Amino acid sequence: QSVMLCQAFQPDLILLDWLMPVMNGYQVLQALAPYMQQQPYLPVLVLTADMSRESWQLAFSAGAKDFLVKPLDIIEVQLRIRNLLELRYLYLKLQEQGQSLQRNSQNV
């Protein structure tokens, strides 16, 4: 279902709770892996009450770009979201410029 939601909404950022009742965050990241490989830098911010080293290692190894532990500080969450969205924007712009340069070099 997470893949279908991403395909339908094409998010610029995913906020993912790590501890959920049906699927945990790691399982969601595994399910999203094929979709995320097709996307140009789709950041995932994991939010969790699980402070274990294993959790953040799993999250990062599965494709998360950032990790915040609850209780959350709203200012920190906003700043991390802003940073991740800025990185995505810059990545997309860089990719766009690369494609433009490639097209221009083919026309020469």
Side-chain angles (χ1 to χ4, degrees):
Q1 184 176 3
S2 54
V3 175
M4 290 187 324
L5 285 171
C6 283
Q7 290 171 332
F9 292 103
Q10 299 178 342
D12 289 312
L13 171 73
I14 296 173
L15 299 176
L16 179 62
D17 196 336
W18 195 246
L19 301 173
M20 298 179 288
V22 178
M23 291 177 75
N24 65 32
Y26 181 71
Q27 292 166 324
V28 171
L29 284 172
Q30 285 183 312
L32 286 174
Y35 174 79
M36 290 177 61
Q37 289 174 355
Q38 299 171 358
Q39 302 305 307
Y41 187 78
L42 177 57
V44 176
L45 174 56
V46 171
L47 311 170
T48 184
D50 185 349
M51 296 173 51
S52 71
R53 183 178 181 93
E54 179 185 10
S55 287
W56 65 260
Q57 286 176 335
L58 277 174
F60 286 123
S61 69
K65 299 297 183 206
D66 208 347
F67 190 94
L68 286 174
V69 178
K70 297 174 184 177
L72 302 170
D73 177 307
I74 190 66
I75 301 297
E76 183 178 16
V77 173
Q78 290 172 339
L79 292 171
R80 301 270 183 120
I81 288 172
R82 187 191 73 201
N83 288 343
L84 289 170
L85 288 173
E86 183 178 9
L87 280 172
R88 176 162 166 84
Y89 171 79
L90 293 172
Y91 187 95
L92 293 173
K93 281 295 185 190
L94 185 60
Q95 187 178 41
E96 182 182 301
Q97 288 177 352
Q99 290 170 351
S100 177
L101 286 172
Q102 189 175 26
R103 281 191 303 273
N104 290 340
S105 69
Q106 291 172 351
N107 292 334
V108 173

